[in-house]
Amino acid sequence: MHSLNQYVEIIPLLTTFGTAIISCFYELGKRWQDFIIALLGILFVFFTYLFFTEDFSSSLAVHTLFDIRYNKIGMFTGALFCLSLFIGLFPIRKTMTFNSNLLFFIAGGLGIILANNLPTFFFFWTFQRALPANGFLRDAVHKESTVGATYIIQHMLTFFCFLGLLFFANEQGLLITPMTEFPASFFTWPVLLLSFIIIYQVHGIFPFHSWVHDLVEGSTWYEFSAIFLSRAGVLLFVQLLLPTLKHDPDVFKILLLSLSIISSIYWSFRGIMEKNLHRTANYFYIAQASLLLTGLQADMTAAKGSYLHMMVISISGPALFSILSYIEHTFSMKRSSQYYGFAQYYPKLATLFCLFGFCMIGVPLGASFVVEDLVITGLLEYQPYLGLGHIIATCLNGILFFLMFTRLFLGQNPYSMPVTNKDMPLSQMLPYILALMMLILIGVLPYLFLEKITW
């Protein structure tokens, strides 16, 4: 970054944390919601501009233990983070009230994305993951709910694993060293084991996945999205393990790949067996996200497929959650389990929901069709049986989506209300339409996006 732009780097953290603190003392109502959405749009433009214009040759060290760096993967993830939340929140801003701590989730996610060394990453990860834990503890004290025990226990274990990793880094004088500059000699078996637990736990991958059930049960979809869209596991893997992965034992790499695929299969089965549509939608999203780490470990071509996959599910996931939330808030239902037959009332939203899902599961001309081709080809060349496992996981994801769409939109509606069009206005659906056009463009002309994806 140029010297004149150095202090611009802290603008995302200042604006989000500053306004989040202000919102704790002043009730701003709908104006506050409009401000959040506008801020997300501005930050998306900010990150996108830097992604296409900067060379990321230097960093801004705010403090020895607090260090942020604007790099290619950070700007890519930051732009997706803001864009995805904008797409999900803008169409429903008039039909629901956001939780007051949403800005804290956003600020914590941006801190994770911009973190340059382990202490900074650890601080923002702890801050963001403590927000749901605080809510779980508050509900437990007031005996409103017993949900959250698994979430707290697993995150405490990961917290201590982080402390162990910081200890090993400090022992070798690497505590404040940028994660991408760790030497291969640092990754002994204890360090690899701690890194493996941390990365897979924060990403919700089997066998460190149980906390996700509590998060799905006790958080709103946009809080859930803010946690997963920050891609803490992917960023930690790319910046910490990936630069030296070629020096790691093959058995370690195969273990990482196998568990990612098994995790996706597990979440797909959980979604297929689940009766509650909210949980089904979340499990479908996590099943897709579990496969993000597979391509990164195969070869460069498959890794570019994983970056495209991250773009696809980051945009499509919040759009699906948002459509589901809009239907829930605009249709009076006796029981939340009675979700079916809504295509009669929401024909345009049903079409958009279907198309977003197609883009995620690999239908031809959809964005994931290119993604799966790149990733599966790379995996088949690396380990054929891993490529086969990825194919099985992808097929199960497709089955889960069709089951979810059928439950929500098809069949006879159980309510006696006359059939009327309850679709949102076209101007309100505009973010969905523009996002869908981008996803289709990825499927038709993927090279436009692949040529800008670099390490």
Side-chain angles (χ1 to χ4, degrees), residues 21-42:
I21 294 172
I22 292 173
S23 68
C24 294
F25 300 97
Y26 298 96
E27 181 61 41
L28 302 178
K30 291 293 184 180
R31 290 181 299 172
W32 178 80
Q33 296 193 173
D34 293 338
F35 172 79
I36 292 177
I37 294 171
L39 180 61
L40 288 170
I42 293 170

Side-chain angles (χ1 to χ4, degrees), residues 81 105 112 128-129 132 151 202 211 215 219 222-232:
F81 179 84
F105 278 92
I112 290 171
Q128 191 192 53
R129 298 307 174 92
Y151 179 95
V202 301
W211 63 272
L215 186 66
S219 300
Y222 46 84
E223 292 171 344
F224 170 90
S225 297
I227 285 178
F228 273 89
L229 286 171
S230 61
R231 305 296 176 207

